[in-house]
Amino acid sequence: MRLESFVRGSWVSPGQDLGVIRSAITSDVVAEVANGGLDMGEVLAYARRVGGPNLRRLTFHQRAEMLKRLALYLTERKDQLYKLSYQTGTTRTDNFIDVDGGIGTLFVYASKGRRELPNATFLIDGAVEPLSKGGSFVGQHVMTPLQGVAVHINAFNFPCWGMLEKLAPAILAGVPVVTKPATITSYVAHALVRMIAESRILPEGSLQCIIGSTGDLFDHLTCQDVVSFTGSAETAQKLQRHPVIARESVRFIAERDSLNAAILAPDAAPGTPEFDLFIKEIAKEMTVKAGQKCTAIRRAIAPNSHVPAVIEALRERLSKITVGNPELENVRMGPVVGLDQRRDVLAQVAKLRSEADIVIGDPDNFTVEGADRERGAFIPPLLLHCPDPIRATHVHSAEAFGPVCTVMGYDGIDQAVSLANRGDGSLVASVYTYDPAIASDLVFGVGAFHGRLVLIDRDCAKEQTGHGSPMPHMVHGGPGRAGGGEELGGMRGVHHYMQRTALQGSPAMLSRVTQSWIKGAPQIQEGRHPFRYYFEDLAIGQTFISKERTITLEDIEHFATFTGDTFYAHMSEEATKNHPFFPGRVAHGYLLLSFAAGLFVDPDLGPVLANYGLDSLRFLKPVQPGETIKVRLTAKSKSPRNAEYGEVRWDVEIMTDKDETVATYELLTMNAVHP
């Protein structure tokens, strides 16, 4: 097949300088790629002119719904991607991680977008900040989508997941994407983009794909663009030094080389569940994707007394791995992605062998099932042992990006921490212990050098997702050698594509601009009770001030008996003498909430369908028997949910009759849309 780029809404192949892509299994030509000929300035201009406005006019919920529809569409067609991916050297299990993992990320961001973001086009970030004594000048942070392009440069090892895990948060944020897959596996990414384009789910201009060289793409970047790169440290550094990146302060997110570690604690001796989990995870990370994962375990760090048992257990487990044609059912590990990659892996192994010995596997003598060992890019699982990791350097600096891992021993937790941190920044480390004290020492000893830490023990063994599996909910990235960037992490990944802006002004002005009522802004007290308005008719700032109610000792004692909450502060005057918070017997906080509801709730059938939440509750002043309370209820913000109802967030303040604030919180209701 001849691969084309998808730019400006069309498939084009203008270049005449053809390169070929070969099968990892047979070295036969799989695809041709044309380099050059694209006007990169126009590619970016099209995204900014067409894609950006099309996305920004949609709300977060509308974008989330698109991601869900796209995930469902791709799920129905994923077998086509599986079939094509075999030529990259991947098994069906490998493809599940890549294809289903990518689609799963779309589902996660679709769900989180609906649940955690408003049905709006911007975000309010944090609480209102008082900036003046009288309250007439306040501050509020907001986040808005960047008005540029998300340029995604992806690695060869995950042509589907790598594209979709970057695409999901960018589209949810409202920023169009130009994706550039690694050439050697670009035929899989090409098929994925073709599916997305044919679905017509994303608005025009939301996604473009460059196959082959990026040409002068970076020359046309601006301060509104984001570059997210996954690949080698060498390439990342070259791109980061581009003068436009520095001049325009282009956001640059890098995820690159990583010498990840698995740490076996002293208590996880042979025979313990944690020891077995350690062995299982190392073998898996060596063989899944033929070890071609940025999160794979490169260094297995174990107590010196456990090292012989670790090697023998891995020998037994790795001996069962069948290497060969990944389309065969009995094959558990395919080749690396190509002959060049095999040469690079073996060159790195040669460096490691200057400090470590190969104890499992022989790169010159191994069996391949269903394929020609010389024509395909096959390497057996290779385990090395470094007898002196303290003085060694290559085992902490050279990454063999294939089925390769080095075992090294330590004496004492401090030495284990030191060895783990010698990687100078990693994406992930995993810890195997059942001792919380040891786990704590390791976590806070290595945490600053790692983007993610996985604590694996017998309690989570059945459900843990593994050392090498970045989850959409959690941050993926790491300091130092790992690139210093972050991806995913739930809404954190969305925020990378947005600008945080500090707004300052009067409560009235900021309330109108942010569409969220701020204390000090005008209140609307005329008309009906706020609960009598349908969703679309309710005005932000609509306020109800309740009647007053005096709290009695009988109220407190009845509530204590009825609920079982007989905490001493409610029941004993003697117990509260010289108390730092309570001047005597006080009302239960939840009694005050219950009475507040009785003061502001409109009981008759009306547009309020349900009370479904309460946020940010703070009790600020204790209330004693004989004191009187009242409630202010103000419509703070609204967020449409569907054609039938929307969410209303109410600002609630419980006060004394002297206007002293007793408690504050936000109440959430679902209000009907007018039929």
Side-chain angles (χ1 to χ4, degrees), residues 536 640-646 671-675:
E536 66 271 33
R641 285 291 182 180
N642 56 36
E644 298 178 352
Y645 58 84
N671 286 41
V673 171
H674 202 291

Side-chain angles (χ1 to χ4, degrees), residues 101 104-105 108-109 112 161 470-475 487-491:
T105 301
V108 168
Y109 271 94
K112 292 180 80 67
W161 178 83
M471 301 301 290
H473 321 69
M474 308 302 291
V475 164
E487 295 177 336
L488 301 175
M491 290 303 106

Side-chain angles (χ1 to χ4, degrees), residues 252-329:
F252 193 99
I253 303 166
E255 189 259 282
R256 59 191 202 193
D257 301 352
S258 182
L259 290 164
N260 312 295
I263 307 171
L264 184 70
D267 67 296
T272 64
E274 288 70 35
F275 181 90
D276 295 339
L277 289 165
F278 178 74
I279 297 301
K280 179 180 179 181
E281 206 66 23
I282 292 171
K284 183 176 75 172
E285 290 300 312
M286 288 179 67
T287 56
V288 168
K289 297 286 290 187
Q292 298 168 111
K293 293 170 60 182
C294 55
T295 53
I297 296 171
R298 304 299 177 196
R299 298 175 300 149
I301 302 173
N304 274 312
S305 59
H306 298 347
V307 166
V310 167
I311 293 173
E312 286 310 307
L314 285 170
R315 187 188 312 280
E316 180 182 356
R317 196 167 192 99
L318 292 173
S319 68
K320 300 174 183 177
I321 299 298
T322 303
V323 179
N325 185 335
E327 294 186 81
L328 299 178
E329 289 188 9

Side-chain angles (χ1 to χ4, degrees), residues 201-259:
I201 292 171
L202 299 182
E204 182 183 354
S206 301
L207 175 63
Q208 298 179 84
C209 177
I210 299 170
I211 301 293
S213 170
T214 55
D216 64 349
L217 178 69
F218 273 46
D219 292 342
H220 305 282
L221 295 174
T222 73
C223 67
Q224 289 294 299
D225 301 322
V226 179
V227 175
S228 183
F229 170 84
T230 300
S232 71
E234 180 182 0
T235 304
Q237 291 165 19
K238 178 181 177 181
L239 295 177
Q240 284 179 298
R241 288 194 294 266
H242 194 286
V244 174
I245 297 291
R247 187 184 72 226
E248 298 291 329
S249 298
V250 178
R251 299 185 188 190
F252 193 99
I253 303 166
E255 189 259 282
R256 59 191 202 193
D257 301 352
S258 182
L259 290 164

Side-chain angles (χ1 to χ4, degrees), residues 16-68:
Q16 299 302 315
D17 179 17
L18 294 180
V20 297
I21 304 172
R22 297 184 181 274
S23 165
I25 305 168
T26 64
S27 292
D28 293 336
V29 174
V30 176
E32 293 179 327
V33 179
N35 285 306
L38 294 178
D39 187 329
M40 296 301 176
E42 281 300 311
V43 169
L44 295 178
Y46 176 78
R48 298 185 189 110
R49 184 180 68 252
V50 179
N54 282 342
L55 284 170
R56 290 195 298 273
R57 69 171 56 101
L58 303 175
T59 68
F60 292 112
H61 286 198
Q62 290 171 318
R63 296 174 207 147
E65 181 59 31
M66 286 193 315
L67 293 179
K68 181 179 180 180

